[in-house]
Amino acid sequence: MSFSRSAARIGTYVIFATLAADAHAQNERPGPPTWSAGVMGIVRDTPYREADSDSLVVPSLGYEGERLYLRGLNLGWKFDPDAAIEIELIARARLDGFEAKDSPVFAGMQERERSLELGASAGRALGPGRIEFAAFADVLDRSGGQELDLMWRGDFGRGPFRIQPEAGLRWQSADLVDYYFGVRPSEATASRAAYRAGSAVLPRIAINALAPLGGRWSLFARVSVDDLPDEITDSPLVERGSERRAFVGLVYGFR
């Protein structure tokens, strides 16, 4: 595997770690700006055919200010942290994609590149948790696509120990889905038919577990499953109907 592809794969892990860091940050009480650093062990099942599952240990880094935050590769700005409906501007990396050498199935195909997305979110408390809506667009025009996210995260537990179940939907535009899962006519072969993907809705369920270890150390884990709809699983590049991720992290917080 090339150095650039290895770096992209590590970056993808950092994005997954961002989701857990976000859950951890939502459990923090308001206070002075904080930095956090730690390590995470991650396992990911890719839906692509003949592509191996990935596992790795990676570093994590975060910053939580009154308005500005950095969570993995997500950079955000909160307009009014005390508002009933919290509005944020967000820049995030999309590190999906592949090179032809990542699987025999991709032989002869053009690389699908990672990109940068800009968007905004609106969230508020709902019952024992929080509901959030977000919209993102590809600003580097790699796919030229968009994504809309609707997610609810519960917050249960006793004292500092928290269990946070999640349930949500992600709508991805046809341009986005087709870029990563489509097969162009020029890439079609006898064993790989041309495929034009349409827009798709992806359900997601997940659970986070958060536990302080004493002092400024904390431990958290996350397991998530994305159900892949027909618009993705009908692609000749795909062999699984879901994408599963699991990781555990150890984090130290700095004031």
Side-chain angles (χ1 to χ4, degrees), residues 56-172:
L56 197 66
V57 175
V58 297
S60 67
L61 178 67
Y63 172 78
E64 292 291 329
E66 182 180 3
R67 295 180 183 272
L68 181 69
Y69 64 79
L70 172 67
R71 300 169 186 162
L73 296 182
N74 283 15
L75 180 65
W77 176 266
K78 305 174 186 178
F79 279 98
D80 183 358
D82 298 320
I85 298 179
E86 191 171 284
I87 307 295
E88 301 179 5
L89 294 179
I90 304 169
R92 71 179 189 183
R94 178 174 291 276
L95 297 177
D96 297 330
F98 57 80
E99 291 180 349
K101 57 187 169 183
D102 289 341
S103 167
V105 175
F106 304 144
M109 296 186 67
Q110 284 192 325
E111 177 184 2
R112 302 304 197 260
E113 296 182 272
R114 50 199 182 276
S115 195
L116 174 68
E117 297 178 334
L118 295 181
S121 70
R124 63 163 299 159
L126 180 66
R130 173 183 173 86
I131 190 166
E132 183 174 289
F133 174 78
F136 295 94
D138 176 13
V139 295
L140 298 184
D141 201 31
R142 299 283 166 73
S143 71
Q146 302 83 38
E147 178 172 303
L148 304 178
D149 300 343
L150 180 64
M151 186 271 292
W152 176 81
R153 177 186 295 128
D155 190 3
F156 305 93
R158 189 183 296 265
F161 299 93
R162 317 305 301 172
I163 297 294
Q164 298 179 331
E166 294 180 14
L169 297 172
R170 294 185 297 148
W171 174 86
Q172 295 182 343

Side-chain angles (χ1 to χ4, degrees), residues 32-37 61-65 70 216 251-255:
T34 61
W35 287 92
S36 63
L61 178 67
Y63 172 78
E64 292 291 329
L70 172 67
R216 296 180 180 177
V251 174
Y252 184 84
F254 302 89
R255 288 287 183 186

